[in-house]
Amino acid sequence: MKDWASLTTIEEMEAATNSLLENAEKVGADTWQQRVKNQTPHCGFGEAGTCCRICSMGPCRITKKSPRGICGCDVHGIVARNFLRFTAGGSATHSDHGREIMHTLHQAKEGGNYTVKDPDKLIRIAHEWGVETEGKDIYDLAHEMAEIGLLEYGKPFGTQRFLKRAPEHTQKLWHDAEIEPRAIDREVATALHMTHMGCSSLPEALIRQALRCGLSDGWGGSMMGTEFSDVLFGTPKPLDTTANIGVMEKDNVNIVVHGHDPSLSEMVVHYANDPEMIAYAKSLGAKGITVSGVCCTSNEVAMRHGIPMAGNFLNQENVVLTGACEAIVVDVQCIFPALGPLSKCFHTKFITTSPIARMPDSEFIRFNAETAGENAKAIVKMAIENFKNRKPELVNIPSQKQNARVGYSVEAIVKVLDGVANSQVDEFGTTKPLLECVTSGVLRGAVAMVGCNNPKVRPDSAHVGLMKKLLENDIILIVSGCSAQAAAKAGLMDPVKAKEYCGDGLKRVCELADIPPVLHMGSCVDISRMLILAAELSKDSGIPISQLPVVGCAPEWMSEKAVSIGNYVVASGLDTFLGVDPYVKGSTEVCDWLTGEHGVKDWVEANYTVEQDIEKLGDLMIERIEAKRAALGI
């Protein structure tokens, strides 16, 4: 085993958090750690998925005494309906993110709040969709593409445009299984209709729709959110930044952006760098302005601007507990309502900006594309003016900070690896150098690790522990979301330090390509990048996605979005490993459909594995990767 001493350990992160919890005690604030204790034990019926509340005859709970609900639905139908509803919630959420990006694209104009930063990518997607580009003004094209993209949400006929990006083998599997997603909103509405009282209770039908609804997210709403964010804000390329709570600066105005929609954070970053705003901050006693991030908004601005990452999901209260946060500015998703009352215990301004995420005890500044500039400037000015209200006795910023290289879009990964092997790289390049590393045995395979933190798992321990185990076994990591930030906080994205802890093959690849062994692909919506990479690997090799030595993993997942993600990753042919049970253990039939050899695997050639022992979960992933290698004869 390797000595990981030069990186930040889970124990060190916990010690930093404990020092911040002392600040909470001083001001009488509660935190998620205390609320977890108050909520434990959790409802056993809920955890097993065996409680039904979709009508008012109940709620019904399945027990030995009452094996059916009042309507007669058995445990398998109830669990499967709950699973589908979880998927629908996640698909709706990520896809609505994509819809907002399309509306922002429709507002883009020369000299406006939002402009087209990557016109080449816009033209490339237009050609893919069969849209004529010759002689068109780039903004006329942007508005046309926005309208076409928005129709993907509600078109009456056909299937999703981006499905054609998948290998033909995968497309045929979807067609034969009748899970090709149609309009994005239709799949969410169908899921809710199917789970209404008196509709579907057959697990097979409900799980089939769960895969379809998930695919409408991964190859629909999320993919549009990712691709057109690149068009608007620039396609990410490798950038060096820093991560962990120590990125906040004692003498600066600290603004923390949190949530998921880059439309807001892009503008906040712009105005925080405005010389007028910096001069204003200095006139009020600060040395400057520091913007840092939490959750997926952090990933968005890190990979495009090098903005430091203060933490992930379960660190969002920590930034306030430092006593040095002038404003925490949020948009949508994964935001604790607790930030309102917590901020009132300090001087922090808790600023909400979206009508979709209104919360008590916040200052609401409605943010939209037309007024984005004035909104962002007002937010930055509010934070600056709040600097004088700090309470010096409460300021406590732990010193932990690691270097991280971020911004590995598919285009960046291909360029970096293809550039090592070939002196000339075409417009998109090829994944063949990566494939050659795998087939030669230099790399054993790859794991796409994603997902949240969950208090049911020691925070970040599963992400970081699994990554270390996989790196030692020459398995490269591609990561996104809170998993990416866990890696960055630990130092696993430091291209200098982290390579020293890899197996010989992976270390050699990192040195040749000058990359860290854990590649940051972006936010949770950017898991769609992983689908594109898997599809390109399949096309370049002629091997179906399901046979590649690649698997997915979400060891600390917690949200509905994660269930949608899991379903589209599995449905795309990647075996997926979970460290938290998806609330289906109450039904042997549903468990068999999702994890067995003859359930969803018969449809899409992949399935789920659930194992709460993280050491065993890592062993199972390695075992699956080696089995895939053996089946290919490599």
Side-chain angles (χ1 to χ4, degrees):
M1 296 297 289
K2 295 181 182 292
D3 179 8
W4 298 83
S6 72
L7 304 186
T8 303
T9 65
I10 298 299
E11 289 76 15
E12 288 169 333
M13 293 186 208
E14 288 175 338
T17 295
N18 288 338
S19 74
L20 294 171
L21 292 178
E22 293 176 10
N23 266 5
E25 289 181 16
K26 289 178 185 176
V27 297
D30 76 346
T31 59
W32 67 261
Q33 290 89 343
Q34 183 58 49
R35 296 192 296 273
V36 167
K37 291 179 182 177
N38 295 343
Q39 285 289 340
T40 305
H42 298 294
C43 171
F45 294 99
E47 285 189 320
T50 58
C51 174
C52 180
R53 52 183 298 276
I54 64 172
C55 78
S56 66
M57 292 192 293
C60 295
R61 300 177 301 176
I62 299 302
T63 64
K64 289 182 179 180
K65 177 183 176 182
S66 53
R68 293 180 180 271
I70 290 169
C71 71
C73 188
D74 65 15
V75 68
H76 309 299
I78 288 172
V79 170
R81 285 193 308 214
N82 288 337
F83 183 74
L84 176 52
R85 285 213 162 196
F86 231 69
T87 305
S91 181
T93 302
H94 258 168
S95 294
D96 209 34
H97 173 154
R99 190 193 328 257
E100 286 302 310
I101 295 298
M102 301 309 291
H103 278 294
T104 302
L105 181 65
H106 199 265
Q107 294 290 326
K109 62 183 178 181
E110 187 69 42
N113 288 316
Y114 298 102
T115 59
V116 171
K117 296 283 181 63
D118 192 340
D120 292 339
K121 186 160 193 174
L122 177 63
I123 291 169
R124 191 165 72 241
I125 299 171
H127 290 164
E128 181 183 345
W129 284 5
V131 176
E132 181 57 53
T133 63
E134 191 68 31
K136 283 184 182 174
D137 175 82
I138 198 67
Y139 288 97
D140 289 340
L141 178 62
H143 301 159
E144 181 180 356
M145 290 295 288
E147 290 178 13
I148 294 170
L150 286 167
L151 287 172
E152 290 292 278
Y153 287 85
K155 63 185 181 184
F157 305 108
T159 56
Q160 294 296 285
R161 289 174 178 267
F162 277 142
L163 299 186
K164 298 300 181 186
R165 290 183 165 186
E168 289 185 7
H169 176 83
T170 305
Q171 293 183 50
K172 186 177 187 304
L173 289 177
W174 292 338
H175 178 76
D176 292 347
E178 298 182 7
I179 58 172
E180 296 165 298
R182 302 155 295 182
I184 298 165
D185 290 349
R186 181 176 182 182
E187 300 308 348
V188 173
T190 296
L192 295 179
H193 186 178
M194 286 183 73
T195 54
H196 189 275
M197 190 274 158
C199 288
S200 290
S201 56
L202 181 70
E204 176 183 349
L206 293 158
I207 291 168
R208 196 182 296 270
Q209 180 59 23
L211 296 186
R212 194 178 208 177
C213 194
L215 285 170
S216 75
D217 169 9
W219 293 86
S222 277
M223 196 166 285
M224 285 201 290
T226 290
E227 294 290 80
F228 290 102
S229 286
D230 287 354
V231 169
L232 280 166
F233 311 125
T235 300
K237 55 186 178 182
L239 284 174
D240 289 327
T241 186
T242 52
N244 219 325
I245 193 71
V247 303
M248 298 177 71
E249 299 189 43
K250 182 179 180 180
D251 297 323
N252 283 8
V253 172
N254 283 292
I255 301 173
V256 178
V257 291
H258 173 24
H260 287 76
D261 187 345
S263 302
L264 168 65
S265 52
E266 284 281 327
M267 298 304 293
V268 171
V269 167
H270 175 78
Y271 280 97
N273 286 313
D274 184 341
E276 178 189 341
M277 291 289 101
I278 294 172
Y280 187 42
K282 290 180 177 178
S283 74
L284 295 181
K287 289 185 177 180
I289 303 172
T290 295
V291 178
S292 60
V294 169
C295 257
C296 282
T297 283
S298 177
N299 286 310
E300 297 277 5
V301 291
M303 66 185 176
R304 293 193 175 94
H305 304 288
I307 296 299
M309 298 182 282
N312 46 10
F313 176 64
L314 285 181
N315 297 139
Q316 61 186 276
E317 293 177 335
N318 286 13
V319 296
V320 178
L321 292 172
T322 63
C325 177
E326 274 61 61
I328 182 164
V329 188
V330 304
D331 44 71
V332 293
Q333 301 171 29
C334 298
I335 301 150
F336 278 178
L339 290 175
L342 178 63
S343 293
K344 286 190 173 301
C345 294
F346 293 84
H347 76 297
T348 305
K349 298 286 188 183
F350 176 42
I351 303 170
T352 53
T353 60
S354 171
I356 289 174
R358 296 293 306 272
M359 297 186 187
D361 297 316
S362 69
E363 302 205 27
F364 182 59
I365 298 177
R366 185 164 185 155
F367 193 88
N368 59 63
E370 295 89 342
T371 60
E374 60 186 82
N375 295 150
K377 192 170 184 177
I379 288 168
V380 173
K381 188 176 180 183
M382 182 186 294
I384 291 169
E385 292 171 349
N386 195 28
F387 181 75
K388 65 180 181 295
N389 296 320
R390 274 193 193 178
K391 299 173 182 176
E393 69 276 11
L394 292 177
V395 174
N396 171 22
I397 303 176
S399 59
Q400 290 170 4
K401 184 162 62 173
Q402 289 281 358
N403 293 327
R405 185 166 294 166
V406 300
Y408 287 94
S409 59
V410 177
E411 291 89 338
I413 290 174
V414 169
K415 184 176 181 180
V416 167
L417 294 176
D418 201 11
V420 171
N422 302 302
S423 58
Q424 291 185 329
V425 182
D426 62 25
E427 182 183 22
F428 189 81
T430 173
T431 63
K432 288 181 180 177
L434 178 56
L435 287 163
E436 288 167 7
C437 288
V438 174
T439 56
S440 67
V442 174
L443 297 179
R444 304 306 295 174
V447 170
M449 194 172 296
V450 305
C452 333
N453 302 125
N454 190 320
K456 292 181 177 179
V457 181
R458 186 182 180 190
D460 292 334
S461 65
H463 293 299
V464 174
L466 286 170
M467 287 176 194
K468 290 178 178 178
K469 185 182 187 79
L470 296 166
L471 297 183
E472 290 175 345
N473 283 274
D474 287 320
I475 295 170
I476 196 167
L477 275 296
I478 53 175
V479 297
S480 70
C482 288
S483 183
Q485 289 161 330
K489 289 190 300 175
L492 293 172
M493 287 181 183
D494 184 326
V496 177
K497 285 183 185 176
K499 68 183 179 184
E500 299 302 323
Y501 304 100
C502 301
D504 291 340
L506 178 54
K507 180 180 179 181
R508 182 175 157 206
V509 171
C510 291
E511 289 174 338
L512 285 172
D514 190 25
I515 59 173
V518 179
L519 298 177
H520 177 282
M521 289 202 86
S523 65
C524 285
V525 80
D526 292 329
I527 295 169
S528 56
R529 297 191 199 277
M530 298 176 180
L531 300 182
I532 296 168
L533 180 59
E536 292 303 313
L537 287 167
S538 176
K539 292 172 188 175
D540 286 342
S541 66
I543 300 170
I545 291 176
S546 59
Q547 295 176 29
L548 294 170
V550 181
V551 301
C553 180
E556 301 182 29
W557 76 272
M558 65 86 202
S559 71
E560 291 174 315
K561 294 181 297 179
V563 176
S564 177
I565 291 164
N567 283 335
Y568 72 64
V569 171
V570 166
S572 298
L574 293 170
D575 291 315
T576 298
F577 293 74
L578 306 178
V580 176
D581 181 78
Y583 292 172
V584 298
K585 64 186 178 185
S587 166
T588 54
E589 283 188 24
V590 173
C591 287
D592 287 345
W593 274 105
L594 296 176
T595 66
E597 286 299 310
H598 297 291
V600 299
K601 194 164 187 175
D602 286 339
W603 303 337
V604 295
E605 300 179 349
N607 64 5
Y608 284 100
T609 297
V610 181
E611 175 54 67
Q612 294 177 8
D613 183 315
I614 297 304
E615 190 68 26
K616 290 180 182 176
L617 189 67
D619 290 337
L620 289 169
M621 282 194 284
I622 294 170
E623 183 182 307
R624 189 72 56 89
I625 286 170
E626 292 298 338
K628 288 175 183 287
R629 291 183 62 87
L632 291 171
I634 58 174

